[in-house]
Amino acid sequence: MTTFSSQPHEIKTDFVTICFRNEIEIDLMKLQAMSFCFVPPSMINQIFLFWNDDGEFPGDVPFINYYPYELRSKVKYVTRDTLFYSGKKTNWINQQIYKLLLAKYVQSSHYIVLDAKNHFMKPVTRQNFFTDGGKPKLFMGNPGKMIRYFDYCLKYFNMDKGYLTKKMFFSMDDPDFQFCTTTPFVFKTQVVREMVAFMESKENMEFHELFQYHTGGTEFYFYISYLLWKNYIMDYHIQKKIHITMWSDFEKEWNHIDYIGKSFTEDECKILGIHRKAFVDMDEKTLRKLLKMYEKYYPKHLMKKVKRLRIFEKKKR
């Protein structure tokens, strides 16, 4: 079974994933690693696994063994203390900081950020993240209540949505076509470095310190706002997102397993995200349907490994 399509003369891209010690997160990281069989090796420069927890990368978590053999030499481990010492357990704030500061390590012109919850469901190519002309893609969807973080970031750069509605070719009022603050996200490495330097100069403090004072924004919304402010947004191609995420709100129709399944059969979805809390609250029926969905897309030899993950064990009654 062919799991990816290679493109000749591709410019290689770095992938970055943030992870920390949590039983469910670790299983999701293993699933993500296996799902890289759907990514053409010719597209990948390096895969950075960033350990957002105390100490060194744990030797008892052999993530590298779950990646396709031909990608294992591309996997690099980075620990958080190499960037700055946070002195605390992982949290949502320092996770955002690291996604931006990792631009110091990235060697390619762009890097694609994934969360541990993300994994590929179908074969992807470079064209899923970049246009034929080389423009990175910025994915749009319905961010729900998260959009308030975008409002904060716009104000930081002295912009408002009224101005953007005139400037952009789409309505800023369409709830299903808004800038999202979710992964996967394609960063331009040099723009991230430039934005970080600008914010440090503006506030006269290190980025990891100043970000603590701006928790009304997010890493992705700060970056998007900077793109808009500098008019770098023209260097991006804006399109509907290619991913969907399952949260723990199982009473919502958009979070039902049948709705998510249709996103892969009827839409252009390629990537699934499952929040760790969803596995905690998921009932047995949903868990079985989820496995059936994987069987539609994953080769048999891979499904054997997927079913061995603890997150797919039968629920205790």
Side-chain angles (χ1 to χ4, degrees):
M1 177 179 178
T2 303
T3 50
F4 60 80
S5 299
S6 294
Q7 308 289 315
H9 310 300
E10 289 183 338
I11 299 173
K12 296 185 178 182
T13 305
D14 287 335
F15 283 81
V16 171
T17 298
I18 311 283
C19 51
F20 60 95
R21 186 173 284 285
N22 172 279
E23 186 175 295
I24 296 175
E25 289 278 309
I26 286 174
D27 261 12
L28 284 170
M29 277 297 301
K30 293 175 181 177
L31 180 58
Q32 180 186 111
M34 287 187 276
S35 79
F36 263 86
C37 69
F38 292 118
V39 185
S42 60
M43 176 183 171
I44 303 170
N45 181 43
Q46 293 187 103
I47 300 170
F48 289 101
L49 299 185
F50 185 84
W51 185 244
N52 187 13
D53 218 319
D54 294 329
E56 297 296 314
F57 229 97
D60 61 327
V61 186
F63 289 128
I64 197 166
N65 295 337
Y66 289 85
Y67 283 91
Y69 182 78
E70 64 271 21
L71 294 182
R72 294 177 187 177
S73 63
K74 297 175 181 283
V75 178
K76 309 295 180 186
Y77 296 112
V78 182
T79 57
R80 67 183 185 182
D81 290 350
T82 59
L83 292 178
F84 73 91
Y85 178 66
S86 68
K88 63 178 75 173
K89 183 75 173 175
T90 179
N91 59 46
W92 188 48
I93 301 302
N94 64 28
Q95 177 176 296
Q96 295 178 69
I97 297 170
Y98 291 127
K99 287 176 183 175
L100 295 170
L101 291 186
L102 274 164
K104 296 178 180 179
Y105 271 81
V106 169
Q107 298 175 9
S108 56
S109 60
H110 301 80
Y111 63 105
I112 298 171
V113 174
L114 302 172
D115 282 333
K117 65 177 179 284
N118 300 124
H119 43 278
F120 302 96
M121 292 293 289
K122 293 179 177 180
V124 297
T125 67
R126 183 174 175 80
Q127 282 66 37
N128 289 118
F129 301 97
F130 300 89
T131 65
D132 290 338
K135 281 188 175 184
K137 294 185 176 183
L138 196 56
F139 300 117
M140 308 288 277
N142 189 333
K145 294 179 180 179
M146 294 296 291
I147 197 66
R148 70 183 187 274
Y149 292 94
F150 183 42
D151 296 336
Y152 180 94
C153 295
L154 286 174
K155 290 177 182 177
Y156 183 87
F157 293 106
N158 298 312
M159 292 185 291
D160 61 64
K161 282 185 178 175
Y163 166 74
L164 294 179
T165 299
K166 295 177 182 178
K167 186 176 182 180
M168 306 303 290
F169 62 86
F170 58 87
S171 171
M172 296 297 291
D173 297 321
D174 182 351
D176 294 319
F177 202 70
Q178 295 285 312
F179 292 113
C180 293
T181 184
T182 54
T183 51
F185 195 96
V186 186
F187 279 124
K188 294 190 75 170
T189 309
Q190 187 53 43
V191 175
V192 175
R193 294 170 181 168
E194 181 185 307
M195 183 191 76
V196 168
F198 168 79
M199 294 175 72
E200 288 181 334
S201 176
K202 177 182 178 180
E203 306 204 24
N204 196 30
M205 64 176 72
E206 295 283 329
F207 187 77
H208 68 272
E209 296 174 334
L210 71 87
F211 198 88
Q212 307 285 342
Y213 294 97
H214 296 289
T215 55
T218 70
E219 78 282 50
F220 300 130
Y221 278 146
F222 269 114
Y223 179 79
I224 293 169
S225 297
Y226 189 76
L227 292 177
L228 291 162
W229 184 55
K230 298 287 287 186
N231 207 32
Y232 293 159
I233 196 73
M234 305 306 293
D235 296 326
Y236 269 82
H237 173 78
I238 296 171
Q239 71 159 64
K240 182 180 178 181
K241 65 180 183 176
I242 61 168
H243 60 282
I244 191 167
T245 302
M246 177 183 284
W247 306 94
S248 58
D249 309 302
F250 287 108
E251 72 281 2
K252 304 288 179 61
E253 181 184 358
W254 51 262
N255 201 54
H256 194 274
I257 183 63
D258 293 334
Y259 181 93
I260 289 173
K262 285 182 181 179
S263 297
F264 288 100
T265 57
E266 298 177 4
D267 295 332
E268 293 299 313
C269 275
K270 300 280 189 178
I271 298 171
L272 176 62
I274 305 180
H275 195 274
R276 63 183 180 279
K277 291 182 180 178
F279 277 105
V280 175
D281 298 334
M282 193 180 298
D283 60 28
E284 182 68 27
K285 183 178 179 181
T286 301
L287 189 68
R288 295 305 113 196
K289 281 190 172 183
L290 185 60
L291 272 173
K292 283 288 185 183
M293 187 173 74
Y294 285 110
E295 289 174 349
K296 287 183 180 180
Y297 305 108
Y298 280 42
K300 289 183 178 179
H301 74 276
L302 204 59
M303 277 307 303
K304 290 180 181 179
K305 295 180 180 179
V306 170
K307 289 179 178 179
R308 293 192 198 112
L309 297 174
R310 287 169 293 182
I311 52 176
F312 291 116
E313 290 178 352
K314 288 188 176 181
K315 295 279 184 175
K316 294 180 180 179
R317 288 177 169 78

